[in-house]
Amino acid sequence: MATFYHLGKLCHVTLPSWTEDSLRRVCRLDFLYCRKAITARDVMVKFALQLKANLENITRLRPVGDDFRWFLKLKCGNCGELSDKWQYITLMDSVPLKGGRGSASMVQKCKLCSRENSIDILRISLQPYNAEDSEHFKTIVEFECRGLEPVDFQPQAGFAAEGAETGTPFGDINLQEKDWTDYDEKAQESVGIYEVTHQFKKC
């Protein structure tokens, strides 16, 4: 009887029912499994969140403050487990990574495969969505991910913008309904943000 580990489990086989070639193939599969698990956990990948909206008489749509909440649904890159609830991260959050590799906005262990994964907001990547970007996808933030992939985004409160011609400030814009309207007193015209949608792109 031979004993060995395969896909993380202890296996027992009776020889000679397993040939040397069979054992070699099993070991190869185990190597590929381990390499995939290590890659999913340790390799850093950047994902860009791109926004598209129809802007009416407004510009510089942007998140406000380090406490702005990015509501995301995340997928484990190792086992494919998808979070069933919205999770949020902020620039204020900072959790140390194992091995002294810095910090991230969120570090969590996958409920299914127990891998420790992380996601971090890249402050330098933040960009406003301007009037000239209207009806086109534009990157507004990038996330640095290890073992996680953002698959959905839910905009909520905490955005701000300005009148396109007057610079009139509009604060605490809530985009949860994917539409928002107001009135610019200086320009004496309505302003609005409509048909908000998004996509993620690997950088």
Side-chain angles (χ1 to χ4, degrees):
M1 177 176 288
T3 301
F4 60 93
Y5 279 93
H6 173 51
L7 302 182
K9 296 182 180 179
L10 189 64
C11 302
H12 304 279
V13 296
T14 302
L15 298 176
S17 62
W18 281 59
T19 66
E20 183 179 347
D21 186 56
S22 297
L23 288 172
R24 188 177 292 113
R25 286 199 299 269
V26 168
C27 290
R28 174 62 178 169
L29 287 172
D30 202 36
F31 168 75
L32 292 174
Y33 171 84
C34 293
R35 185 172 67 177
K36 178 182 177 183
I38 291 171
T39 298
R41 180 184 59 187
D42 296 336
V43 173
M44 183 275 290
V45 181
K46 291 181 182 179
F47 290 94
L49 171 58
Q50 298 186 332
L51 191 75
K52 183 171 79 168
N54 183 357
L55 303 188
E56 178 189 18
N57 302 319
I58 207 162
T59 192
R60 287 188 50 76
L61 175 65
R62 63 200 184 276
V64 178
D66 287 359
D67 59 347
F68 178 87
R69 296 182 176 185
W70 299 93
F71 284 86
L72 305 169
K73 284 192 176 180
L74 304 167
K75 182 175 73 173
C76 176
N78 181 55
C79 68
E81 174 74 358
L82 180 65
S83 58
D84 57 350
K85 295 181 180 179
W86 292 104
Q87 299 170 278
Y88 72 82
I89 54 177
T90 75
L91 284 168
M92 293 177 64
D93 301 324
S94 182
V95 183
L97 297 170
K98 283 185 177 180
R101 294 181 300 171
S103 61
S105 302
M106 174 189 288
V107 178
Q108 66 175 19
K109 183 177 288 188
C110 177
K111 294 179 181 179
L112 189 61
C113 69
S114 299
R115 291 287 178 185
E116 185 175 276
N117 304 317
S118 67
I119 181 170
D120 193 41
I121 305 167
L122 297 178
R123 182 189 295 270
I124 196 172
S125 70
L126 290 165
Q127 299 183 66
Y129 192 83
N130 298 315
E132 58 267 27
D133 303 315
S134 185
E135 300 187 77
H136 298 282
F137 279 107
K138 179 187 178 179
T139 296
I140 60 170
V141 67
E142 292 178 5
F143 303 103
E144 185 177 275
C145 302
R146 285 182 170 85
L148 285 176
E149 178 181 349
V151 295
D152 204 359
F153 166 63
Q154 185 182 65
Q156 295 196 15
F159 286 92
E162 301 171 4
E165 300 297 330
T166 63
T168 301
F170 296 92
D172 199 23
I173 296 173
N174 192 325
L175 296 178
Q176 189 168 2
E177 301 300 323
K178 307 297 188 289
D179 290 300
W180 171 88
T181 58
D182 208 322
Y183 190 78
D184 189 337
E185 295 288 349
K186 289 183 181 178
Q188 294 187 342
E189 61 186 8
S190 61
V191 296
I193 304 167
Y194 310 104
E195 301 172 349
V196 177
T197 187
H198 71 278
Q199 65 182 15
F200 287 99
K201 289 286 187 180
K202 187 179 289 187
C203 300

PDB file of all heavy atoms in Angstrom, residues 142-158:
ATOM      1  N   GLU A 142      -9.085  52.353  -9.150  1.00  0.00           N
ATOM      2  CA  GLU A 142      -8.498  51.036  -9.373  1.00  0.00           C
ATOM      3  C   GLU A 142      -8.312  50.333  -8.032  1.00  0.00           C
ATOM      4  O   GLU A 142      -8.058  50.983  -7.012  1.00  0.00           O
ATOM      5  CB  GLU A 142      -7.156  51.137 -10.096  1.00  0.00           C
ATOM      6  CG  GLU A 142      -7.267  51.616 -11.531  1.00  0.00           C
ATOM      7  CD  GLU A 142      -5.911  51.754 -12.209  1.00  0.00           C
ATOM      8  OE1 GLU A 142      -4.890  51.379 -11.582  1.00  0.00           O
ATOM      9  OE2 GLU A 142      -5.873  52.249 -13.349  1.00  0.00           O
ATOM     10  N   PHE A 143      -8.446  49.011  -8.057  1.00  0.00           N
ATOM     11  CA  PHE A 143      -8.271  48.184  -6.868  1.00  0.00           C
ATOM     12  C   PHE A 143      -7.107  47.217  -7.099  1.00  0.00           C
ATOM     13  O   PHE A 143      -7.012  46.596  -8.157  1.00  0.00           O
ATOM     14  CB  PHE A 143      -9.532  47.392  -6.551  1.00  0.00           C
ATOM     15  CG  PHE A 143     -10.752  48.239  -6.349  1.00  0.00           C
ATOM     16  CD1 PHE A 143     -11.716  48.342  -7.348  1.00  0.00           C
ATOM     17  CD2 PHE A 143     -10.940  48.946  -5.169  1.00  0.00           C
ATOM     18  CE1 PHE A 143     -12.847  49.116  -7.171  1.00  0.00           C
ATOM     19  CE2 PHE A 143     -12.072  49.739  -4.985  1.00  0.00           C
ATOM     20  CZ  PHE A 143     -13.030  49.818  -5.978  1.00  0.00           C
ATOM     21  N   GLU A 144      -6.257  47.089  -6.100  1.00  0.00           N
ATOM     22  CA  GLU A 144      -5.162  46.123  -6.147  1.00  0.00           C
ATOM     23  C   GLU A 144      -5.613  44.879  -5.385  1.00  0.00           C
ATOM     24  O   GLU A 144      -5.910  44.954  -4.186  1.00  0.00           O
ATOM     25  CB  GLU A 144      -3.900  46.722  -5.518  1.00  0.00           C
ATOM     26  CG  GLU A 144      -2.675  45.841  -5.619  1.00  0.00           C
ATOM     27  CD  GLU A 144      -1.439  46.512  -5.042  1.00  0.00           C
ATOM     28  OE1 GLU A 144      -0.792  47.279  -5.779  1.00  0.00           O
ATOM     29  OE2 GLU A 144      -1.144  46.277  -3.856  1.00  0.00           O
ATOM     30  N   CYS A 145      -5.668  43.755  -6.075  1.00  0.00           N
ATOM     31  CA  CYS A 145      -6.274  42.550  -5.500  1.00  0.00           C
ATOM     32  C   CYS A 145      -5.283  41.390  -5.433  1.00  0.00           C
ATOM     33  O   CYS A 145      -4.503  41.174  -6.365  1.00  0.00           O
ATOM     34  CB  CYS A 145      -7.483  42.114  -6.324  1.00  0.00           C
ATOM     35  SG  CYS A 145      -8.763  43.386  -6.459  1.00  0.00           S
ATOM     36  N   ARG A 146      -5.345  40.641  -4.354  1.00  0.00           N
ATOM     37  CA  ARG A 146      -4.620  39.382  -4.210  1.00  0.00           C
ATOM     38  C   ARG A 146      -5.635  38.314  -3.826  1.00  0.00           C
ATOM     39  O   ARG A 146      -6.128  38.291  -2.711  1.00  0.00           O
ATOM     40  CB  ARG A 146      -3.522  39.494  -3.155  1.00  0.00           C
ATOM     41  CG  ARG A 146      -2.295  40.273  -3.617  1.00  0.00           C
ATOM     42  CD  ARG A 146      -1.206  40.308  -2.549  1.00  0.00           C
ATOM     43  NE  ARG A 146       0.047  40.853  -3.059  1.00  0.00           N
ATOM     44  CZ  ARG A 146       0.336  42.148  -3.126  1.00  0.00           C
ATOM     45  NH1 ARG A 146      -0.561  43.031  -2.723  1.00  0.00           N
ATOM     46  NH2 ARG A 146       1.482  42.565  -3.612  1.00  0.00           N
ATOM     47  N   GLY A 147      -5.951  37.452  -4.795  1.00  0.00           N
ATOM     48  CA  GLY A 147      -6.886  36.358  -4.532  1.00  0.00           C
ATOM     49  C   GLY A 147      -8.342  36.749  -4.609  1.00  0.00           C
ATOM     50  O   GLY A 147      -9.212  35.915  -4.395  1.00  0.00           O
ATOM     51  N   LEU A 148      -8.648  37.998  -4.900  1.00  0.00           N
ATOM     52  CA  LEU A 148     -10.030  38.463  -5.006  1.00  0.00           C
ATOM     53  C   LEU A 148     -10.268  39.133  -6.348  1.00  0.00           C
ATOM     54  O   LEU A 148      -9.352  39.706  -6.935  1.00  0.00           O
ATOM     55  CB  LEU A 148     -10.371  39.460  -3.885  1.00  0.00           C
ATOM     56  CG  LEU A 148     -10.593  38.912  -2.486  1.00  0.00           C
ATOM     57  CD1 LEU A 148     -10.822  40.069  -1.510  1.00  0.00           C
ATOM     58  CD2 LEU A 148     -11.770  37.950  -2.437  1.00  0.00           C
ATOM     59  N   GLU A 149     -11.507  39.062  -6.805  1.00  0.00           N
ATOM     60  CA  GLU A 149     -11.901  39.769  -8.026  1.00  0.00           C
ATOM     61  C   GLU A 149     -13.228  40.486  -7.774  1.00  0.00           C
ATOM     62  O   GLU A 149     -14.216  39.844  -7.411  1.00  0.00           O
ATOM     63  CB  GLU A 149     -12.066  38.801  -9.182  1.00  0.00           C
ATOM     64  CG  GLU A 149     -12.514  39.490 -10.470  1.00  0.00           C
ATOM     65  CD  GLU A 149     -12.709  38.528 -11.619  1.00  0.00           C
ATOM     66  OE1 GLU A 149     -12.303  37.366 -11.497  1.00  0.00           O
ATOM     67  OE2 GLU A 149     -13.294  38.953 -12.654  1.00  0.00           O
ATOM     68  N   PRO A 150     -13.286  41.821  -7.942  1.00  0.00           N
ATOM     69  CA  PRO A 150     -14.566  42.522  -7.813  1.00  0.00           C
ATOM     70  C   PRO A 150     -15.440  42.217  -9.025  1.00  0.00           C
ATOM     71  O   PRO A 150     -14.981  42.323 -10.166  1.00  0.00           O
ATOM     72  CB  PRO A 150     -14.157  43.995  -7.775  1.00  0.00           C
ATOM     73  CG  PRO A 150     -12.848  44.050  -8.496  1.00  0.00           C
ATOM     74  CD  PRO A 150     -12.170  42.742  -8.251  1.00  0.00           C
ATOM     75  N   VAL A 151     -16.685  41.831  -8.770  1.00  0.00           N
ATOM     76  CA  VAL A 151     -17.574  41.446  -9.872  1.00  0.00           C
ATOM     77  C   VAL A 151     -18.816  42.329  -9.963  1.00  0.00           C
ATOM     78  O   VAL A 151     -19.520  42.303 -10.967  1.00  0.00           O
ATOM     79  CB  VAL A 151     -17.999  39.969  -9.755  1.00  0.00           C
ATOM     80  CG1 VAL A 151     -16.803  39.055  -9.927  1.00  0.00           C
ATOM     81  CG2 VAL A 151     -18.691  39.697  -8.422  1.00  0.00           C
ATOM     82  N   ASP A 152     -19.094  43.122  -8.926  1.00  0.00           N
ATOM     83  CA  ASP A 152     -20.246  44.017  -8.977  1.00  0.00           C
ATOM     84  C   ASP A 152     -20.012  45.205  -8.065  1.00  0.00           C
ATOM     85  O   ASP A 152     -19.270  45.121  -7.077  1.00  0.00           O
ATOM     86  CB  ASP A 152     -21.521  43.276  -8.569  1.00  0.00           C
ATOM     87  CG  ASP A 152     -22.789  43.920  -9.127  1.00  0.00           C
ATOM     88  OD1 ASP A 152     -22.672  44.958  -9.807  1.00  0.00           O
ATOM     89  OD2 ASP A 152     -23.892  43.397  -8.882  1.00  0.00           O
ATOM     90  N   PHE A 153     -20.636  46.320  -8.404  1.00  0.00           N
ATOM     91  CA  PHE A 153     -20.486  47.572  -7.658  1.00  0.00           C
ATOM     92  C   PHE A 153     -21.850  48.220  -7.511  1.00  0.00           C
ATOM     93  O   PHE A 153     -22.649  48.238  -8.457  1.00  0.00           O
ATOM     94  CB  PHE A 153     -19.548  48.520  -8.404  1.00  0.00           C
ATOM     95  CG  PHE A 153     -19.568  49.945  -7.918  1.00  0.00           C
ATOM     96  CD1 PHE A 153     -19.182  50.266  -6.630  1.00  0.00           C
ATOM     97  CD2 PHE A 153     -19.975  50.979  -8.767  1.00  0.00           C
ATOM     98  CE1 PHE A 153     -19.206  51.590  -6.184  1.00  0.00           C
ATOM     99  CE2 PHE A 153     -19.993  52.297  -8.338  1.00  0.00           C
ATOM    100  CZ  PHE A 153     -19.602  52.598  -7.041  1.00  0.00           C
ATOM    101  N   GLN A 154     -22.121  48.733  -6.305  1.00  0.00           N
ATOM    102  CA  GLN A 154     -23.386  49.417  -6.045  1.00  0.00           C
ATOM    103  C   GLN A 154     -23.098  50.841  -5.563  1.00  0.00           C
ATOM    104  O   GLN A 154     -22.716  51.050  -4.415  1.00  0.00           O
ATOM    105  CB  GLN A 154     -24.210  48.681  -4.986  1.00  0.00           C
ATOM    106  CG  GLN A 154     -25.584  49.295  -4.766  1.00  0.00           C
ATOM    107  CD  GLN A 154     -26.364  48.574  -3.682  1.00  0.00           C
ATOM    108  OE1 GLN A 154     -25.980  48.588  -2.523  1.00  0.00           O
ATOM    109  NE2 GLN A 154     -27.456  47.939  -4.071  1.00  0.00           N
ATOM    110  N   PRO A 155     -23.260  51.851  -6.428  1.00  0.00           N
ATOM    111  CA  PRO A 155     -23.059  53.229  -5.979  1.00  0.00           C
ATOM    112  C   PRO A 155     -24.159  53.637  -5.008  1.00  0.00           C
ATOM    113  O   PRO A 155     -25.326  53.295  -5.214  1.00  0.00           O
ATOM    114  CB  PRO A 155     -23.135  54.030  -7.282  1.00  0.00           C
ATOM    115  CG  PRO A 155     -23.981  53.210  -8.194  1.00  0.00           C
ATOM    116  CD  PRO A 155     -23.687  51.774  -7.836  1.00  0.00           C
ATOM    117  N   GLN A 156     -23.770  54.358  -3.976  1.00  0.00           N
ATOM    118  CA  GLN A 156     -24.750  54.825  -2.999  1.00  0.00           C
ATOM    119  C   GLN A 156     -24.493  56.306  -2.721  1.00  0.00           C
ATOM    120  O   GLN A 156     -24.196  57.066  -3.635  1.00  0.00           O
ATOM    121  CB  GLN A 156     -24.684  53.953  -1.743  1.00  0.00           C
ATOM    122  CG  GLN A 156     -25.099  52.504  -1.996  1.00  0.00           C
ATOM    123  CD  GLN A 156     -25.415  51.736  -0.733  1.00  0.00           C
ATOM    124  OE1 GLN A 156     -25.608  52.280   0.351  1.00  0.00           O
ATOM    125  NE2 GLN A 156     -25.486  50.418  -0.862  1.00  0.00           N
ATOM    126  N   ALA A 157     -24.629  56.721  -1.465  1.00  0.00           N
ATOM    127  CA  ALA A 157     -24.434  58.132  -1.120  1.00  0.00           C
ATOM    128  C   ALA A 157     -22.948  58.465  -1.033  1.00  0.00           C
ATOM    129  O   ALA A 157     -22.093  57.584  -1.013  1.00  0.00           O
ATOM    130  CB  ALA A 157     -25.137  58.439   0.192  1.00  0.00           C
ATOM    131  N   GLY A 158     -22.671  59.776  -1.000  1.00  0.00           N
ATOM    132  CA  GLY A 158     -21.300  60.209  -0.788  1.00  0.00           C
ATOM    133  C   GLY A 158     -20.613  60.799  -2.000  1.00  0.00           C
ATOM    134  O   GLY A 158     -19.431  61.147  -1.937  1.00  0.00           O
TER     135      GLY A 158
END
